[in-house]
Amino acid sequence: MSTTDHPQTDGQTERVNQVLEDMLRAYVSKKQTNWEEYLSILEFAYNSTKHSATGYNPFMLMHGFQPHSPTAVGFKQEKVEAVKNFLEDLNQMIEHAKRSIRQSQNRARHYADPHRRDVQFSAGEKVYLRVPVDSKTLKSGVCAKLSPRYCGPFTISRRLGEVTYELELPHSSKVFPVFNVS
């Protein structure tokens, strides 16, 4: 059993719950009383979205084909008025969600970009590593408050991506050797 204050599930389930909460937030009214109406649509949207880890969407992996989206069905030639209204409402909600996501991304970019800097290293250079607050293996000394904030210098063994590097750490560190520039 998992609650808000005491999450008792794995991290993947917690992350899925966060994604579904964000998706619900984009759809519900200001009163937040109609969220149950959108669960089936959100389930469809989540299960038909390609995941970065697998490269496939869950529906494709379970059933072997991609389902037809309600938005792919033309509602102009639809003769049943209730279906036509549903599809029009669905398209409006999707456009609203897209605008909300774009606004959120732009807002996050606005606050994050001033703090970013373009830093590049090459193999063989030495860098300092910021010690996380809860690190047991990289801290030195008994008192956590008096431990240094940075340790090293460590040699860069290779560049893995635009912002990720692999460091040559001591075998006693028990830390995964790949780090982000930030």
Side-chain angles (χ1 to χ4, degrees):
M1 172 126 160
S2 179
T3 64
T4 306
D5 297 324
H6 302 285
Q8 301 293 320
T9 59
D10 62 333
Q12 184 177 8
T13 304
E14 294 300 322
R15 184 66 190 132
V16 168
N17 290 343
Q18 289 174 359
V19 169
L20 290 176
E21 284 176 21
D22 291 341
M23 291 170 75
L24 270 174
R25 241 180 246 112
Y27 284 103
V28 296
S29 67
K30 297 284 184 201
K31 298 177 194 172
Q32 299 181 356
T33 57
N34 61 342
W35 62 271
E36 303 95 0
E37 298 171 15
Y38 300 106
L39 285 179
S40 58
I41 294 170
L42 294 178
E43 178 186 10
F44 177 82
Y46 184 82
N47 287 331
S48 60
T49 302
K50 187 190 296 187
H51 288 252
S52 60
T54 62
Y56 296 97
N57 59 47
F59 193 93
M60 177 68 87
L61 291 175
M62 291 291 292
H63 302 288
F65 65 94
Q66 179 63 33
H68 292 292
S69 169
T71 59
V73 177
F75 60 89
K76 299 265 192 256
Q77 65 268 18
E78 189 59 51
K79 293 185 171 72
V80 179
E81 192 65 29
V83 172
K84 185 176 180 179
N85 292 338
F86 171 77
L87 291 175
E88 287 175 350
D89 290 345
L90 181 63
N91 281 331
Q92 288 175 357
M93 287 186 292
I94 290 172
E95 288 305 315
H96 178 267
K98 285 180 182 178
R99 283 193 305 273
S100 297
I101 289 171
R102 267 189 245 110
Q103 287 175 348
S104 176
Q105 288 173 338
N106 289 338
R107 189 171 40 251
R109 190 176 298 117
H110 171 76
Y111 288 110
D113 283 350
H115 302 288
R116 290 193 176 129
R117 56 192 175 117
D118 187 25
V119 180
Q120 294 186 0
F121 300 102
S122 58
E125 287 187 70
K126 294 197 178 272
V127 293
Y128 283 93
L129 182 61
R130 187 166 185 243
V131 180
V133 176
D134 58 345
S135 175
K136 303 265 189 271
T137 58
L138 292 175
K139 290 221 177 200
S140 60
V142 180
C143 182
K145 287 183 178 180
L146 300 177
S147 294
R149 292 185 181 170
Y150 295 91
C151 62
F154 299 109
T155 306
I156 297 174
S157 59
R158 62 185 174 135
R159 181 178 180 173
L160 299 174
E162 287 187 32
V163 292
T164 52
Y165 294 89
E166 183 177 3
L167 302 179
E168 294 175 6
L169 298 176
H171 296 293
S172 62
S173 69
K174 298 179 186 176
V175 176
F176 191 67
V178 177
F179 295 93
N180 189 301
V181 169
S182 64

